[in-house]
Amino acid sequence: MTLSDRDRAVLDFESRWEGHGAAKEEAIRRELALTPARYYQLLERVIDAPDAVRHDAMLVHRLRRVRDARRHEREVRTGIAEAVRAGAAR
């Protein structure tokens, strides 16, 4: 997948910001003319593109690690919750 100008703009924007907050959300609206929800949807899609790695490998690998860690944490929490529910059902 070739990165569009918007895809590159999303990656470049993300490379300038650390964390998440109201100031970042306002900057997303102002600079990219996107809602924060749409921005994060696009970012999630873009970091899986091979061209994204060529554009900014360190950023993309960091974002993938963070995403994968969060996904793993959700899976662990879900597994614990299911185990508790299964135990309570006995």
Side-chain angles (χ1 to χ4, degrees):
M1 171 181 129
T2 301
L3 295 181
S4 68
D5 290 340
R6 183 173 66 175
D7 294 340
R8 284 189 296 280
V10 165
L11 287 172
D12 293 342
F13 180 90
E14 186 64 25
S15 71
R16 296 190 321 260
W17 283 88
E18 286 294 322
H20 181 85
K24 182 177 182 179
E25 290 183 358
E26 181 55 37
I28 291 168
R29 287 183 181 95
R30 185 180 60 253
E31 294 181 30
L32 301 173
L34 296 169
T35 64
R38 183 66 181 140
Y39 168 80
Y40 288 108
Q41 289 171 345
L42 289 171
L43 182 61
E44 187 74 16
R45 179 186 55 80
V46 169
I47 66 173
D48 286 327
D51 283 349
V53 173
R54 287 188 280 281
H55 182 76
D56 191 337
M58 289 181 60
L59 172 68
V60 170
H61 290 306
R62 178 177 58 83
L63 293 173
R64 287 176 180 176
R65 279 192 311 272
V66 168
R67 177 190 61 191
D68 294 346
R70 287 181 179 156
R71 186 176 291 155
H72 178 71
E73 289 171 13
R74 276 193 307 273
E75 290 170 355
V76 168
R77 282 194 312 267
T78 301
I80 291 170
E82 289 173 357
V84 168
R85 281 194 297 272
R90 289 181 188 181

Coordinates of all heavy atoms in Angstrom, one line a residue:
M1 N 0.8 -1.2 0.0 CA 0.0 0.0 0.0 C 0.9 1.2 0.0 O 1.7 1.4 0.9 CB -0.9 0.0 1.3 CG -1.7 1.3 1.5 SD -2.6 1.1 3.0 CE -2.1 2.6 3.8
T2 N 0.7 2.1 -1.0 CA 1.4 3.3 -1.0 C 0.8 4.3 -0.1 O -0.4 4.5 -0.1 CB 1.4 3.9 -2.5 OG1 2.0 2.9 -3.3 CG2 2.2 5.2 -2.6
L3 N 1.6 5.1 0.7 CA 1.0 6.0 1.6 C 0.5 7.3 0.8 O 1.2 7.8 0.0 CB 2.1 6.5 2.6 CG 2.6 5.4 3.6 CD1 3.6 6.1 4.5 CD2 1.5 4.8 4.4
S4 N -0.7 7.7 1.2 CA -1.2 8.9 0.7 C -0.6 10.1 1.4 O 0.1 10.0 2.4 CB -2.7 9.0 0.8 OG -3.1 9.1 2.2
D5 N -0.8 11.3 0.9 CA -0.4 12.5 1.6 C -1.0 12.6 3.0 O -0.3 12.9 4.0 CB -0.8 13.8 0.8 CG 0.0 13.9 -0.5 OD1 1.1 13.3 -0.6 OD2 -0.4 14.7 -1.4
R6 N -2.2 12.2 3.1 CA -2.9 12.2 4.5 C -2.2 11.2 5.4 O -2.0 11.5 6.6 CB -4.4 12.0 4.3 CG -5.1 12.0 5.7 CD -6.6 12.0 5.6 NE -7.0 10.7 5.1 CZ -8.2 10.3 5.0 NH1 -9.2 11.1 5.4 NH2 -8.6 9.1 4.6
D7 N -1.9 10.0 4.9 CA -1.3 9.0 5.7 C 0.1 9.5 6.2 O 0.4 9.3 7.4 CB -1.0 7.7 4.9 CG -2.3 7.0 4.5 OD1 -3.4 7.2 5.1 OD2 -2.2 6.2 3.5
R8 N 0.9 10.1 5.3 CA 2.1 10.7 5.8 C 1.9 11.8 6.8 O 2.7 11.9 7.7 CB 2.9 11.2 4.5 CG 3.6 10.0 3.8 CD 4.5 10.5 2.7 NE 3.9 11.3 1.6 CZ 3.2 10.8 0.6 NH1 3.1 9.4 0.5 NH2 2.6 11.5 -0.3
A9 N 0.9 12.6 6.6 CA 0.6 13.7 7.5 C 0.3 13.2 8.9 O 0.7 13.7 9.9 CB -0.5 14.6 7.0
V10 N -0.5 12.1 8.9 CA -0.9 11.4 10.2 C 0.4 10.9 10.9 O 0.6 11.1 12.1 CB -1.9 10.3 10.0 CG1 -2.0 9.4 11.2 CG2 -3.2 10.9 9.6
L11 N 1.3 10.2 10.2 CA 2.5 9.7 10.8 C 3.4 10.9 11.2 O 4.0 10.8 12.3 CB 3.3 8.9 9.8 CG 2.7 7.5 9.5 CD1 3.4 6.8 8.4 CD2 2.7 6.6 10.8
D12 N 3.5 11.9 10.4 CA 4.4 13.1 10.8 C 3.8 13.8 12.0 O 4.5 14.1 13.0 CB 4.5 14.0 9.7 CG 5.3 13.5 8.5 OD1 6.0 12.5 8.7 OD2 5.2 14.0 7.4
F13 N 2.5 13.9 12.1 CA 1.8 14.5 13.3 C 2.1 13.7 14.5 O 2.5 14.2 15.5 CB 0.3 14.6 13.0 CG -0.4 15.2 14.2 CD1 -0.5 16.6 14.3 CD2 -0.9 14.5 15.2 CE1 -1.2 17.2 15.4 CE2 -1.6 15.0 16.3 CZ -1.7 16.4 16.4
E14 N 1.9 12.4 14.4 CA 2.1 11.5 15.6 C 3.6 11.5 16.0 O 3.8 11.4 17.2 CB 1.7 10.0 15.2 CG 1.7 9.1 16.4 CD 0.7 9.4 17.5 OE1 -0.3 10.1 17.2 OE2 1.0 9.0 18.6
S15 N 4.5 11.7 15.1 CA 5.9 11.7 15.5 C 6.2 12.9 16.4 O 7.2 12.9 17.1 CB 6.8 11.6 14.3 OG 6.8 12.8 13.6
R16 N 5.4 14.0 16.2 CA 5.7 15.2 17.0 C 5.0 15.2 18.4 O 5.3 16.0 19.2 CB 5.2 16.4 16.2 CG 5.9 16.7 14.9 CD 5.5 18.0 14.3 NE 4.1 18.4 14.4 CZ 3.2 18.2 13.5 NH1 3.5 17.7 12.3 NH2 2.0 18.6 13.7
W17 N 4.1 14.3 18.6 CA 3.3 14.3 19.9 C 3.6 13.1 20.7 O 3.7 12.0 20.2 CB 1.8 14.3 19.6 CG 1.4 15.6 19.1 CD1 1.4 16.1 17.9 CD2 0.9 16.6 20.0 NE1 0.9 17.4 17.9 CE2 0.6 17.7 19.1 CE3 0.7 16.8 21.3 CZ2 0.0 18.9 19.6 CZ3 0.1 17.9 21.8 CH2 -0.2 19.0 21.0
E18 N 3.8 13.3 22.0 CA 3.9 12.2 23.0 C 2.6 12.2 23.8 O 2.0 13.2 24.2 CB 5.0 12.4 23.9 CG 6.4 12.2 23.3 CD 6.6 10.7 22.9 OE1 6.2 9.8 23.7 OE2 7.2 10.5 21.9
G19 N 2.1 11.0 24.0 CA 0.9 10.9 24.9 C -0.4 11.2 24.2 O -0.5 11.3 23.0
H20 N -1.4 11.5 25.0 CA -2.7 11.7 24.5 C -3.4 12.7 25.5 O -3.2 12.6 26.7 CB -3.5 10.4 24.6 CG -4.9 10.5 24.1 ND1 -5.2 10.3 22.8 CD2 -6.1 10.7 24.7 CE1 -6.5 10.5 22.6 NE2 -7.1 10.6 23.8
G21 N -4.0 13.7 24.9 CA -4.7 14.7 25.8 C -5.5 15.7 25.0 O -5.6 15.6 23.7
A22 N -6.1 16.6 25.7 CA -6.9 17.6 25.1 C -6.2 18.5 24.1 O -6.7 18.8 23.0 CB -7.6 18.5 26.2
A23 N -5.0 18.8 24.4 CA -4.2 19.7 23.5 C -3.9 18.9 22.2 O -4.0 19.5 21.1 CB -2.9 20.1 24.1
K24 N -3.6 17.7 22.3 CA -3.4 16.9 21.1 C -4.6 16.7 20.3 O -4.6 16.9 19.0 CB -2.8 15.5 21.5 CG -2.5 14.6 20.2 CD -1.9 13.3 20.7 CE -1.6 12.4 19.5 NZ -1.0 11.1 19.9
E25 N -5.8 16.5 20.9 CA -7.0 16.4 20.2 C -7.4 17.6 19.5 O -7.9 17.6 18.3 CB -8.1 15.9 21.2 CG -7.9 14.5 21.6 CD -9.0 14.0 22.5 OE1 -10.0 14.7 22.8 OE2 -8.9 12.8 22.9
E26 N -7.1 18.8 20.1 CA -7.4 20.1 19.5 C -6.5 20.3 18.3 O -6.9 20.7 17.2 CB -7.3 21.2 20.4 CG -7.5 22.6 19.8 CD -8.9 22.7 19.2 OE1 -9.9 22.1 19.7 OE2 -9.0 23.4 18.2
A27 N -5.2 19.9 18.4 CA -4.3 20.0 17.3 C -4.7 19.1 16.1 O -4.5 19.4 15.0 CB -2.9 19.7 17.8
I28 N -5.2 17.9 16.4 CA -5.7 17.0 15.4 C -6.8 17.6 14.6 O -6.8 17.6 13.4 CB -6.2 15.6 16.0 CG1 -5.0 14.8 16.6 CG2 -7.0 14.8 15.0 CD1 -5.4 13.7 17.5
R29 N -7.7 18.2 15.3 CA -8.8 18.9 14.6 C -8.3 20.1 13.8 O -8.7 20.3 12.6 CB -9.8 19.4 15.6 CG -10.7 18.4 16.3 CD -11.7 19.0 17.2 NE -12.5 17.9 17.8 CZ -12.2 17.4 19.0 NH1 -11.2 17.9 19.7 NH2 -13.0 16.5 19.5
R30 N -7.4 20.9 14.4 CA -6.9 22.1 13.7 C -6.0 21.8 12.5 O -6.2 22.3 11.4 CB -6.2 23.0 14.7 CG -5.8 24.3 14.2 CD -5.1 25.2 15.3 NE -3.9 24.5 15.8 CZ -3.8 24.0 17.0 NH1 -4.8 24.0 17.9 NH2 -2.6 23.4 17.4
E31 N -5.0 20.9 12.8 CA -4.0 20.7 11.7 C -4.4 19.7 10.7 O -4.0 19.8 9.5 CB -2.7 20.2 12.4 CG -2.0 21.3 13.3 CD -0.8 20.8 13.9 OE1 -0.1 19.9 13.3 OE2 -0.5 21.2 15.0
L32 N -5.2 18.7 11.1 CA -5.5 17.6 10.1 C -6.9 17.6 9.7 O -7.3 16.9 8.8 CB -5.1 16.3 10.7 CG -3.7 16.1 11.1 CD1 -3.5 14.7 11.8 CD2 -2.8 16.1 9.9
A33 N -7.8 18.5 10.3 CA -9.2 18.6 10.0 C -9.9 17.2 10.1 O -10.7 16.8 9.3 CB -9.4 19.2 8.6
L34 N -9.5 16.5 11.2 CA -10.1 15.2 11.5 C -10.6 15.2 12.9 O -10.0 15.9 13.8 CB -9.0 14.1 11.4 CG -8.4 13.8 10.0 CD1 -7.2 12.9 10.2 CD2 -9.4 13.2 9.1
T35 N -11.6 14.3 13.2 CA -11.9 14.1 14.6 C -10.8 13.2 15.2 O -10.2 12.4 14.5 CB -13.3 13.4 14.7 OG1 -13.2 12.1 14.2 CG2 -14.4 14.2 14.0
P36 N -10.6 13.3 16.5 CA -9.7 12.4 17.1 C -10.0 10.9 16.9 O -9.1 10.1 16.6 CB -9.8 12.8 18.6 CG -10.2 14.2 18.6 CD -11.1 14.3 17.4
A37 N -11.2 10.5 16.9 CA -11.6 9.1 16.6 C -11.1 8.7 15.2 O -10.6 7.6 15.1 CB -13.1 8.9 16.8
R38 N -11.4 9.5 14.2 CA -11.0 9.2 12.9 C -9.5 9.2 12.7 O -8.9 8.3 12.0 CB -11.6 10.2 11.9 CG -11.3 9.9 10.5 CD -12.0 8.6 10.0 NE -11.6 8.3 8.6 CZ -11.4 7.1 8.2 NH1 -11.4 6.1 9.0 NH2 -11.1 6.9 6.9
Y39 N -8.8 10.1 13.4 CA -7.4 10.2 13.4 C -6.8 8.8 13.9 O -5.9 8.2 13.2 CB -6.9 11.3 14.2 CG -5.4 11.3 14.5 CD1 -4.5 11.7 13.6 CD2 -4.9 10.8 15.7 CE1 -3.1 11.7 13.9 CE2 -3.5 10.7 16.0 CZ -2.7 11.2 15.1 OH -1.3 11.2 15.3
Y40 N -7.3 8.4 15.0 CA -6.7 7.1 15.6 C -7.1 5.9 14.7 O -6.3 4.9 14.6 CB -7.2 6.9 17.0 CG -6.4 7.9 17.9 CD1 -7.1 9.0 18.5 CD2 -5.1 7.7 18.2 CE1 -6.4 9.9 19.3 CE2 -4.4 8.6 18.9 CZ -5.0 9.7 19.5 OH -4.3 10.6 20.3
Q41 N -8.3 5.9 14.1 CA -8.6 4.9 13.1 C -7.6 4.8 12.0 O -7.1 3.8 11.6 CB -10.0 5.0 12.6 CG -11.1 4.8 13.6 CD -12.5 5.2 13.0 OE1 -12.6 5.9 12.0 NE2 -13.5 4.7 13.7
L42 N -7.3 6.0 11.4 CA -6.4 6.1 10.3 C -5.0 5.7 10.7 O -4.3 4.9 10.0 CB -6.3 7.5 9.7 CG -7.6 8.0 9.0 CD1 -7.5 9.5 8.7 CD2 -7.7 7.2 7.7
L43 N -4.6 6.1 11.9 CA -3.2 5.8 12.4 C -3.1 4.3 12.6 O -2.1 3.7 12.2 CB -3.0 6.5 13.7 CG -1.6 6.3 14.4 CD1 -0.5 6.8 13.5 CD2 -1.6 7.0 15.7
E44 N -4.1 3.7 13.1 CA -4.1 2.2 13.3 C -3.9 1.5 12.0 O -3.2 0.5 11.9 CB -5.4 1.8 14.0 CG -5.5 0.4 14.4 CD -4.7 0.0 15.6 OE1 -4.2 0.9 16.3 OE2 -4.4 -1.2 15.8
R45 N -4.6 2.0 10.9 CA -4.5 1.3 9.6 C -3.1 1.6 9.0 O -2.5 0.7 8.5 CB -5.6 1.9 8.7 CG -5.6 1.3 7.3 CD -6.6 2.0 6.4 NE -6.5 3.4 6.3 CZ -5.6 4.1 5.5 NH1 -4.7 3.4 4.8 NH2 -5.6 5.4 5.5
V46 N -2.7 2.8 9.1 CA -1.4 3.2 8.5 C -0.2 2.5 9.0 O 0.7 2.1 8.3 CB -1.2 4.8 8.6 CG1 0.2 5.2 8.1 CG2 -2.3 5.5 7.7
I47 N -0.2 2.2 10.3 CA 1.0 1.6 10.9 C 1.2 0.2 10.4 O 2.3 -0.4 10.6 CB 1.1 1.7 12.4 CG1 0.0 0.9 13.1 CG2 1.1 3.2 12.8 CD1 0.1 0.9 14.6
D48 N 0.2 -0.4 9.8 CA 0.3 -1.8 9.3 C 0.8 -1.8 7.8 O 1.1 -2.8 7.3 CB -1.0 -2.5 9.4 CG -1.3 -2.9 10.8 OD1 -0.3 -3.2 11.6 OD2 -2.5 -3.0 11.2
A49 N 0.9 -0.6 7.2 CA 1.3 -0.5 5.8 C 2.9 -0.6 5.7 O 3.6 0.0 6.5 CB 0.9 0.8 5.2
P50 N 3.4 -1.5 4.8 CA 4.8 -1.6 4.7 C 5.5 -0.2 4.4 O 6.6 0.0 4.8 CB 5.0 -2.6 3.5 CG 3.7 -3.3 3.5 CD 2.6 -2.4 3.9
D51 N 4.8 0.6 3.6 CA 5.4 1.9 3.3 C 5.5 2.8 4.5 O 6.4 3.7 4.6 CB 4.6 2.6 2.2 CG 4.8 2.1 0.8 OD1 5.8 1.3 0.7 OD2 4.1 2.5 -0.1
A52 N 4.7 2.5 5.5 CA 4.8 3.3 6.8 C 6.2 3.1 7.4 O 6.8 4.0 8.0 CB 3.7 3.0 7.7
V53 N 6.7 1.8 7.4 CA 8.0 1.5 8.0 C 9.1 2.3 7.2 O 10.0 2.8 7.8 CB 8.2 0.0 8.0 CG1 9.6 -0.3 8.4 CG2 7.2 -0.7 8.9
R54 N 8.9 2.3 5.9 CA 9.9 3.0 5.1 C 9.9 4.5 5.4 O 10.9 5.2 5.4 CB 9.7 2.8 3.6 CG 10.1 1.4 3.2 CD 10.1 1.1 1.7 NE 8.8 0.9 1.2 CZ 8.2 -0.3 1.3 NH1 8.8 -1.3 1.9 NH2 7.0 -0.5 0.7
H55 N 8.7 5.0 5.7 CA 8.5 6.5 6.0 C 9.2 6.8 7.4 O 9.9 7.8 7.5 CB 7.1 6.9 6.0 CG 6.8 8.3 6.2 ND1 7.0 9.2 5.2 CD2 6.4 9.0 7.3 CE1 6.7 10.4 5.7 NE2 6.3 10.3 6.9
D56 N 8.9 6.0 8.4 CA 9.4 6.3 9.8 C 9.4 5.0 10.6 O 8.5 4.8 11.4 CB 8.5 7.4 10.5 CG 9.2 7.9 11.7 OD1 10.0 7.2 12.4 OD2 8.8 9.1 12.1
A57 N 10.4 4.3 10.4 CA 10.5 2.9 11.0 C 10.4 3.0 12.5 O 9.7 2.2 13.1 CB 11.8 2.2 10.5
M58 N 11.2 3.8 13.1 CA 11.2 3.9 14.6 C 9.8 4.2 15.2 O 9.3 3.5 16.1 CB 12.2 4.9 15.1 CG 13.6 4.4 14.9 SD 14.8 5.6 15.5 CE 14.4 5.6 17.3
L59 N 9.1 5.1 14.6 CA 7.8 5.5 15.1 C 6.8 4.3 14.9 O 6.1 3.9 15.8 CB 7.2 6.7 14.3 CG 5.8 7.1 14.5 CD1 5.6 7.6 16.0 CD2 5.3 8.1 13.5
V60 N 6.8 3.8 13.7 CA 5.9 2.7 13.4 C 6.1 1.5 14.3 O 5.2 0.9 14.8 CB 5.9 2.3 11.9 CG1 5.2 1.0 11.6 CG2 5.4 3.5 11.0
H61 N 7.4 1.1 14.5 CA 7.6 -0.1 15.3 C 7.2 0.2 16.8 O 6.7 -0.6 17.4 CB 9.1 -0.4 15.3 CG 9.5 -1.1 13.9 ND1 8.9 -2.1 13.4 CD2 10.4 -0.7 13.0 CE1 9.4 -2.5 12.3 NE2 10.4 -1.6 12.0
R62 N 7.4 1.5 17.2 CA 7.0 1.8 18.6 C 5.5 1.8 18.7 O 5.0 1.2 19.7 CB 7.5 3.2 19.0 CG 7.0 3.7 20.4 CD 7.6 5.0 20.7 NE 7.2 6.1 19.8 CZ 6.1 6.8 19.9 NH1 5.2 6.4 20.8 NH2 5.8 7.7 19.0
L63 N 4.8 2.3 17.8 CA 3.3 2.3 17.8 C 2.8 0.9 17.7 O 1.8 0.5 18.4 CB 2.7 3.1 16.7 CG 3.0 4.6 16.8 CD1 2.5 5.3 15.5 CD2 2.3 5.2 18.0
R64 N 3.4 0.0 16.9 CA 3.0 -1.4 16.9 C 3.2 -2.1 18.2 O 2.4 -2.9 18.7 CB 3.7 -2.1 15.8 CG 3.3 -1.8 14.4 CD 4.2 -2.5 13.4 NE 3.8 -2.1 12.0 CZ 4.5 -2.6 10.9 NH1 5.5 -3.4 11.1 NH2 4.1 -2.3 9.7
R65 N 4.3 -1.8 18.8 CA 4.6 -2.4 20.2 C 3.6 -2.0 21.2 O 3.1 -2.8 22.0 CB 6.0 -2.1 20.6 CG 7.1 -2.9 20.1 CD 8.4 -2.7 20.8 NE 8.8 -1.3 21.0 CZ 9.5 -0.6 20.1 NH1 9.9 -1.1 18.9 NH2 9.8 0.7 20.4
V66 N 3.3 -0.7 21.2 CA 2.3 -0.2 22.2 C 0.9 -0.8 21.9 O 0.2 -1.3 22.8 CB 2.2 1.4 22.1 CG1 1.0 1.9 22.8 CG2 3.5 2.0 22.6
R67 N 0.5 -0.9 20.6 CA -0.8 -1.5 20.3 C -0.8 -2.9 20.7 O -1.8 -3.4 21.3 CB -1.0 -1.4 18.8 CG -2.3 -2.0 18.3 CD -2.4 -2.1 16.8 NE -1.3 -2.9 16.3 CZ -1.0 -3.0 15.0 NH1 -1.7 -2.3 14.1 NH2 -0.1 -3.8 14.5
D68 N 0.3 -3.7 20.4 CA 0.3 -5.1 20.7 C 0.3 -5.3 22.2 O -0.4 -6.3 22.7 CB 1.5 -5.8 20.1 CG 1.4 -5.8 18.5 OD1 0.3 -5.5 18.0 OD2 2.4 -6.0 17.9
A69 N 0.9 -4.5 23.0 CA 0.9 -4.6 24.4 C -0.5 -4.3 25.0 O -0.9 -5.1 25.9 CB 1.9 -3.7 25.1
R70 N -1.1 -3.3 24.5 CA -2.5 -3.0 24.9 C -3.4 -4.2 24.6 O -4.3 -4.5 25.3 CB -3.0 -1.7 24.3 CG -2.3 -0.5 24.9 CD -2.8 0.8 24.3 NE -2.2 1.9 25.0 CZ -2.0 3.1 24.4 NH1 -2.5 3.3 23.2 NH2 -1.4 4.0 25.0
R71 N -3.3 -4.7 23.4 CA -4.1 -5.8 22.9 C -3.9 -7.0 23.9 O -4.9 -7.7 24.3 CB -3.8 -6.2 21.5 CG -4.7 -7.2 20.9 CD -4.4 -7.5 19.4 NE -4.8 -6.3 18.7 CZ -4.2 -6.0 17.5 NH1 -3.3 -6.7 17.0 NH2 -4.6 -4.9 16.9
H72 N -2.7 -7.3 24.2 CA -2.4 -8.4 25.1 C -3.0 -8.2 26.5 O -3.5 -9.1 27.1 CB -0.8 -8.6 25.2 CG -0.4 -9.7 26.2 ND1 -0.6 -11.0 25.9 CD2 0.1 -9.6 27.4 CE1 -0.2 -11.7 26.9 NE2 0.2 -10.9 27.8
E73 N -2.9 -6.9 27.0 CA -3.4 -6.6 28.3 C -4.9 -6.8 28.3 O -5.5 -7.4 29.3 CB -3.1 -5.2 28.7 CG -1.7 -4.9 29.1 CD -1.4 -3.5 29.2 OE1 -2.3 -2.6 29.3 OE2 -0.2 -3.1 29.2
R74 N -5.6 -6.4 27.2 CA -7.1 -6.7 27.1 C -7.4 -8.1 27.1 O -8.4 -8.6 27.8 CB -7.6 -6.0 25.9 CG -7.9 -4.6 26.0 CD -8.8 -4.0 24.8 NE -8.2 -4.3 23.5 CZ -7.3 -3.5 22.9 NH1 -6.9 -2.4 23.5 NH2 -6.8 -3.8 21.7
E75 N -6.6 -8.9 26.4 CA -6.8 -10.4 26.3 C -6.7 -11.0 27.7 O -7.4 -11.9 28.1 CB -5.9 -11.0 25.3 CG -6.2 -10.6 23.9 CD -5.2 -11.1 22.9 OE1 -4.1 -11.6 23.3 OE2 -5.4 -10.9 21.7
V76 N -5.6 -10.6 28.4 CA -5.4 -11.1 29.8 C -6.6 -10.7 30.7 O -7.1 -11.6 31.4 CB -4.1 -10.6 30.4 CG1 -4.0 -10.9 31.8 CG2 -2.9 -11.2 29.6
R77 N -7.0 -9.5 30.6 CA -8.1 -9.0 31.5 C -9.4 -9.8 31.1 O -10.2 -10.2 32.0 CB -8.4 -7.5 31.4 CG -7.4 -6.7 32.1 CD -7.9 -5.3 32.2 NE -8.3 -4.7 31.0 CZ -7.5 -4.0 30.2 NH1 -6.2 -3.8 30.5 NH2 -8.0 -3.5 29.1
T78 N -9.6 -10.0 29.8 CA -10.8 -10.7 29.4 C -10.8 -12.1 29.8 O -11.8 -12.7 30.3 CB -10.9 -10.6 27.8 OG1 -11.0 -9.3 27.5 CG2 -12.2 -11.4 27.4
G79 N -9.6 -12.7 29.7 CA -9.4 -14.1 30.2 C -9.7 -14.3 31.7 O -10.3 -15.2 32.1
I80 N -9.2 -13.3 32.5 CA -9.4 -13.3 33.9 C -10.9 -13.2 34.2 O -11.5 -13.9 35.0 CB -8.6 -12.2 34.6 CG1 -7.1 -12.6 34.5 CG2 -9.0 -12.0 36.1 CD1 -6.2 -11.5 35.0
A81 N -11.5 -12.2 33.5 CA -13.0 -12.0 33.8 C -13.8 -13.2 33.4 O -14.7 -13.6 34.1 CB -13.4 -10.8 33.0
E82 N -13.4 -13.9 32.3 CA -14.1 -15.1 31.9 C -13.9 -16.2 32.9 O -14.8 -17.0 33.2 CB -13.7 -15.5 30.5 CG -14.2 -14.6 29.4 CD -13.6 -14.9 28.1 OE1 -12.8 -15.8 27.9 OE2 -14.0 -14.2 27.1
A83 N -12.7 -16.3 33.4 CA -12.4 -17.4 34.4 C -13.2 -17.1 35.7 O -13.7 -18.0 36.3 CB -10.9 -17.4 34.8
V84 N -13.3 -15.8 36.1 CA -14.1 -15.5 37.3 C -15.6 -15.8 37.1 O -16.2 -16.4 37.9 CB -13.9 -14.0 37.7 CG1 -14.9 -13.6 38.7 CG2 -12.5 -13.8 38.2
R85 N -16.1 -15.5 35.9 CA -17.5 -15.8 35.6 C -17.7 -17.3 35.6 O -18.7 -17.8 36.1 CB -17.9 -15.1 34.3 CG -18.2 -13.7 34.4 CD -18.9 -13.2 33.1 NE -18.1 -13.3 31.9 CZ -17.3 -12.4 31.5 NH1 -17.1 -11.3 32.2 NH2 -16.6 -12.6 30.4
A86 N -16.8 -18.0 35.0 CA -16.9 -19.5 34.9 C -16.9 -20.1 36.3 O -17.7 -21.0 36.6 CB -15.9 -20.1 34.1
G87 N -16.1 -19.5 37.2 CA -16.0 -20.0 38.6 C -17.2 -19.7 39.4 O -17.7 -20.5 40.2
A88 N -17.8 -18.5 39.1 CA -19.0 -18.1 39.8 C -20.2 -18.9 39.3 O -21.2 -19.1 40.1 CB -19.3 -16.6 39.6
A89 N -20.2 -19.4 38.1 CA -21.3 -20.2 37.6 C -21.4 -21.6 38.2 O -22.4 -22.3 38.1 CB -21.2 -20.3 36.1
R90 N -20.3 -22.0 38.8 CA -20.3 -23.4 39.4 C -21.1 -23.5 40.6 O -21.5 -22.9 41.3 CB -18.9 -23.8 39.7 CG -18.0 -23.9 38.5 CD -16.6 -24.3 39.0 NE -15.8 -24.3 37.8 CZ -14.5 -24.6 37.8 NH1 -14.0 -25.0 38.9 NH2 -13.8 -24.6 36.7

